[in-house]
């Protein structure tokens, strides 16, 4: 069981089977599900589009919605259309990615590592500090607020790190 956490649901849109357009976001309630809906009756399928805060588990949200409506439910399809700065508009199909790998042209398609970590502050390192982190060692006496950082040696990514009480530990190292 996952730990309870506070999340924000910015918008939740309901689309009934057969609707071709996305309706305006509305408050989810039995009334919003339609005039014929009664708790536990025959509603078989509904499509929800959710705009949620970081850390929201959609399957848990679906479970909680079903419980609040006095019924049961499950997720039959989950499609992420945006994550951070990435959307389907900039997505690359697996076929195109495979073709680019075979043609050795991946560098023309893929974004730099920093693009996926743009919401994490940078932590500049000296060459000695970068070397220690690359060996998995903990840095002591670093003047950084507690939290996660994108550790860099000049412009080269070294690691995703966690600072706590003046100590910096590697969360995920990068072999670049």
């Amino acid at each position: 069981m996952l730990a309870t956490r506070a999340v924000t649901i910015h918008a939740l849109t309901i689309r009934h089977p057969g609707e071709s357009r996305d309706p305006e976001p509305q408050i989810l309630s039995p009334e919003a599900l339609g005039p014929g809906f009664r708790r536990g009756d025959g509603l078989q399928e509904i499509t929800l589009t959710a705009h949620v805060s970081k850390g929201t588990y959609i399957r848990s949200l679906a479970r909680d919605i079903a419980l609040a409506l006095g019924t049961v439910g499950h997720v039959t399809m989950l499609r992420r259309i945006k994550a951070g700065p990435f959307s389907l508009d900039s997505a690359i199909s697996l076929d195109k990615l495979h073709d680019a790998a075979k043609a050795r042209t991946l560098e023309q398609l893929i974004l730099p590592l920093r693009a996926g970590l743009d919401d994490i502050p940078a932590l500049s390192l000296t060459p000695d500090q970068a070397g220690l982190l690359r060996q998995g060692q903990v840095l002591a006496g670093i003047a950084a607020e507690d939290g996660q950082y994108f550790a860099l040696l000049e412009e080269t990514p070294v690691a995703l790190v966690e600072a706590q009480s003046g100590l910096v530990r590697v969360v995920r190292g990068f072999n670049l």
Side-chain angles (χ1 to χ4, degrees):
M1 178 117 170
L2 295 172
T4 301
R5 67 169 65 176
V7 297
T8 302
I9 310 300
H10 301 287
L12 187 62
T13 305
I14 302 166
R15 187 174 53 213
H16 293 280
E19 283 185 344
S20 59
R21 62 173 187 82
D22 287 332
E24 292 298 313
Q26 52 191 292
I27 296 171
L28 188 62
S29 66
E31 294 76 30
L33 292 172
F37 178 80
R38 292 187 321 260
R39 291 179 192 271
D41 76 1
L43 182 64
Q44 295 296 312
E45 180 180 316
I46 192 165
T47 298
L48 300 174
T49 301
H51 175 201
V52 297
S53 64
K54 182 178 179 178
T56 304
Y57 290 99
I58 295 298
R59 286 180 175 84
S60 296
L61 177 62
R63 177 205 60 217
D64 294 346
I65 289 170
L67 287 171
L69 293 171
T71 188
V72 296
H74 65 276
V75 176
T76 58
M77 184 181 89
L78 179 59
R79 181 176 181 214
R80 184 180 300 256
I81 58 175
K82 189 170 188 292
F86 306 109
S87 69
L88 291 179
D89 296 336
S90 59
I92 302 168
S93 72
L94 290 177
D95 289 337
K96 187 172 182 179
L97 191 62
H98 177 71
D99 292 344
K102 285 173 49 178
R104 299 183 187 267
T105 59
L106 278 176
E107 293 78 21
Q108 297 172 14
L109 291 178
I110 59 175
L111 297 172
L113 179 62
R114 184 72 181 141
L117 303 172
D118 70 339
D119 60 335
I120 300 174
L123 178 66
S124 295
L125 303 172
T126 66
D128 288 341
Q129 291 170 330
L132 291 171
L133 285 179
R134 286 183 174 128
Q135 294 172 4
Q137 296 186 34
V138 175
L139 301 180
I142 302 297
E145 291 185 28
D146 289 357
Q148 286 196 337
Y149 291 88
F150 185 56
L152 299 165
L153 176 59
E154 296 176 4
E155 293 298 314
T156 303
V158 175
L160 178 64
V161 298
E162 180 83 29
Q164 188 171 32
S165 303
L167 300 176
V168 175
R169 290 184 171 81
V170 173
V171 173
R172 175 82 58 196
F174 308 126
N175 291 323
L176 303 174

